[in-house]
Amino acid sequence: MDAKRRVVEGDVVVEDGKIEAVEDGGRRGKTGKALDCTGLVVIPGLIQAHIHLCQTLFRGLADDLPLETWLAKRIWPLEAAHTEESVYWSAMLGAAELLLGGTTAILDMETVRHTGAAFEALEAIGLRATAGKCLMDAPSAPKGLKEPTERALQEATDLCAKWHGAAQGRLRWCYAPRFVPSCTGPLLRAVSDLAERAGATIHTHAAETPGELQMVSEETGRDEISYLDSVGISGPRAALAHCVWVDAEGIRRLARQQTNVVHCPSSNLKLGSGIAPIPEMLAAGCKVAIGADGAPCNNRLDAFEEMRLAALIQKPRLGPDALPAASVLELATLGGARALGLETEIGSIEPGKRADLAVLDLSRPHVLPDEADVVSRLVYSARASDVRHVIVDGRIVVRDGELKTAKVAEIRTEANRHARLLWKKVGVYRKGPTNPGAWPRG
């Protein structure tokens, strides 16, 4: 994924967490250690620019619903029920899935409370993450999550001071207003100022459904992309998830601003939100990344699934060449790096960049034959289960398909335990020995 998009047969030399060289000859680094990747494919670690780790424990509890109902009846009550411990194990579970599937960096929106617990999980497990506390202060925001404006901003600022640049720069802060209908204008303007001062990213949702557009228009008298621009949430520092319902003028505006758009194909399909006009955005010069969104609206945090789907869903609209494999691979690497503001540090295998790498074994039947185009095999054929090794900041975090930075058995036990406590708290009951049942309250 360098400027020439080369496919190289050789070795990646890593020193002090950075890529020192890409070359032939088998030269080892100063430590003399080598990870034998003979016959394997080394790619930049995949980057997902829209994730909700706090929602991982909600997987399977919010299926087959439109967005507004999904939020009001399922996700917001569950988020309001979170404890510090449940946020920690939700983040651990999601981060484990991401690392095992070759994702090395994310842009994460947490819930309103206990964001520090998510950072503690991310620090421990070794994932590169830019994350932030969700901000919701509008009168229409859900009762269990709405906060006074000043208190919300002060907590966000305090967390930014603690976590922005932590873990030797692997962890970074973002300001994360949920979306326009749940945030007041003063909060959004303050977020723009605070992010500018801190050198932080702004992460929010935009133009996900027609209903959202209507709410924003009624409240502000403007379309959502224009309104966000008016309050300072635009430009290279901003990442807008979804942007499904953006017209031609909105696309031109996003391109002029160089605002990052984050495409979430599985989530948009599952919630019935629509198909974002990604080829049109790319043609206009927009910056686009990719993300799985959260476990309740996907239900997997699998970058390979998102790449394949992103490529396929545009073809009935615009033809079989609408979004080729090489373009999609860029969304999941360099596109994500731009959305995180880290394009000079990650997203490609080049000397001087951080050593965030995923190593795949493409020898199983579903990705053969060997001589087929490697980019095609990665985007259209590969699966998360093909990931053999994962390296973040030069540290091996997955080796031979095994997570090395945390105990999966412990994550499984604690995630299940805290999920059951959450379900009980919000009133989910069980119809059978294993399956969550209906919610008793409407």
Side-chain angles (χ1 to χ4, degrees):
M1 299 307 296
D2 63 5
K4 296 181 179 179
R5 300 297 186 265
R6 294 179 300 157
V7 177
V8 178
E9 187 171 350
D11 301 324
V12 182
V13 181
V14 174
E15 295 285 2
D16 300 323
K18 289 188 175 183
I19 298 167
E20 184 180 279
V22 181
E23 60 183 30
D24 295 321
R27 179 167 65 90
R28 295 188 179 191
K30 294 173 186 175
T31 62
K33 295 179 181 178
L35 182 63
D36 185 2
C37 297
T38 304
L40 306 179
V41 176
V42 184
I43 65 172
L46 300 176
I47 303 166
Q48 297 202 48
H50 184 58
I51 294 287
H52 294 273
L53 288 180
C54 65
Q55 296 178 6
T56 317
L57 296 188
F58 313 161
R59 195 188 326 255
L61 293 185
D63 295 330
D64 310 320
L65 297 168
L67 175 67
E68 290 78 10
T69 305
W70 180 85
L71 284 169
K73 301 297 185 183
R74 297 291 192 267
I75 301 307
W76 285 339
L78 285 161
E79 286 193 15
H82 257 311
T83 65
E84 189 171 0
E85 293 79 10
S86 63
V87 167
Y88 179 89
W89 289 108
S90 190
M92 285 293 278
L93 180 62
E97 181 183 356
L98 289 160
L99 286 171
L100 288 164
T103 292
T104 57
I106 61 168
L107 182 58
D108 175 41
M109 181 184 290
E110 286 298 313
T111 187
V112 169
R113 291 180 285 276
H114 313 304
T115 300
F119 270 104
E120 289 170 7
L122 290 162
E123 184 176 36
I125 204 167
L127 183 66
R128 187 181 302 281
T130 300
K133 160 190 167 66
C134 182
L135 300 170
M136 304 175 78
D137 73 329
S140 59
K143 183 178 179 181
L145 296 173
K146 182 171 64 176
E147 292 186 299
T149 307
E150 290 306 317
R151 188 172 80 190
L153 291 169
Q154 186 60 57
E155 184 182 1
T157 302
D158 292 344
L159 286 163
C160 178
K162 180 176 182 178
W163 290 106
H164 194 48
Q168 293 76 53
R170 177 168 54 82
L171 301 179
R172 294 167 59 85
W173 178 259
C174 68
Y175 283 90
R178 188 150 209 146
F179 67 159
V180 171
S182 69
C183 299
T184 62
L187 180 138
L188 294 172
R189 293 184 185 92
V191 160
S192 177
D193 292 341
L194 290 168
E196 182 69 28
R197 282 183 226 156
T201 297
I202 303 171
H203 180 198
T204 191
H205 302 83
E208 191 170 355
T209 67
E212 179 186 333
L213 295 185
Q214 184 177 352
M215 282 189 283
V216 174
S217 177
E218 290 173 355
E219 285 289 325
T220 70
R222 310 178 74 154
D223 73 88
E224 192 165 5
I225 303 303
S226 169
Y227 176 72
L228 284 168
D229 190 21
S230 75
V231 294
I233 298 182
S234 60
R237 200 180 296 287
L240 310 184
H242 304 301
C243 293
V244 176
W245 296 91
V246 180
D247 60 16
E249 175 52 37
I251 290 172
R252 287 192 289 270
R253 182 183 292 271
L254 290 167
R256 286 196 304 271
Q257 299 164 348
Q258 290 295 283
T259 301
N260 295 281
V261 172
V262 189
H263 183 34
C264 304
S266 289
S267 173
N268 296 155
L269 292 177
K270 189 182 178 210
L271 292 169
S273 302
I275 299 174
I278 299 302
E280 293 93 330
M281 291 180 181
L282 293 171
C286 292
K287 301 195 295 183
V288 182
I290 203 165
D293 206 338
C297 62
N298 189 302
N299 290 16
R300 293 178 288 188
L301 308 182
D302 181 348
F304 291 95
E305 176 70 14
E306 297 310 303
M307 285 195 290
R308 174 179 163 83
L309 198 54
L312 294 181
I313 61 175
Q314 303 295 339
K315 298 181 187 304
R317 293 181 57 238
L318 300 170
D321 60 348
L323 196 57
S327 297
V328 174
L329 186 59
E330 181 172 343
L331 303 187
T333 52
L334 293 164
R338 285 190 291 265
L340 272 63
L342 297 174
E343 61 268 36
T344 63
E345 297 188 42
I346 57 175
S348 59
I349 304 176
E350 297 183 82
K353 287 199 169 184
R354 305 304 303 179
D356 287 9
L357 306 166
V359 183
L360 283 82
D361 181 353
L362 300 186
S363 67
R364 297 170 68 190
H366 64 274
V367 277
L368 294 178
D370 287 336
E371 298 305 315
D373 179 74
V374 69
V375 174
S376 171
R377 295 164 74 200
L378 288 168
V379 172
Y380 289 119
S381 304
R383 301 171 182 165
S385 57
D386 296 320
V387 174
R388 175 84 65 84
H389 313 300
V390 178
I391 297 168
V392 179
D393 249 359
R395 177 190 184 193
I396 299 173
V397 293
V398 174
R399 186 165 193 159
D400 294 319
E402 179 184 348
L403 186 65
K404 308 303 290 184
T405 52
K407 296 178 180 178
V408 172
E410 182 185 19
I411 293 173
R412 181 187 301 115
T413 298
E414 293 298 327
N416 280 328
R417 183 168 75 87
H418 284 284
R420 286 191 294 269
L421 291 172
L422 279 175
W423 301 349
K424 184 177 180 180
K425 209 170 179 181
V426 299
V428 179
Y429 69 95
R430 293 178 175 276
K431 291 191 292 188
T434 59
N435 297 321
W439 292 44
R441 60 190 184 201

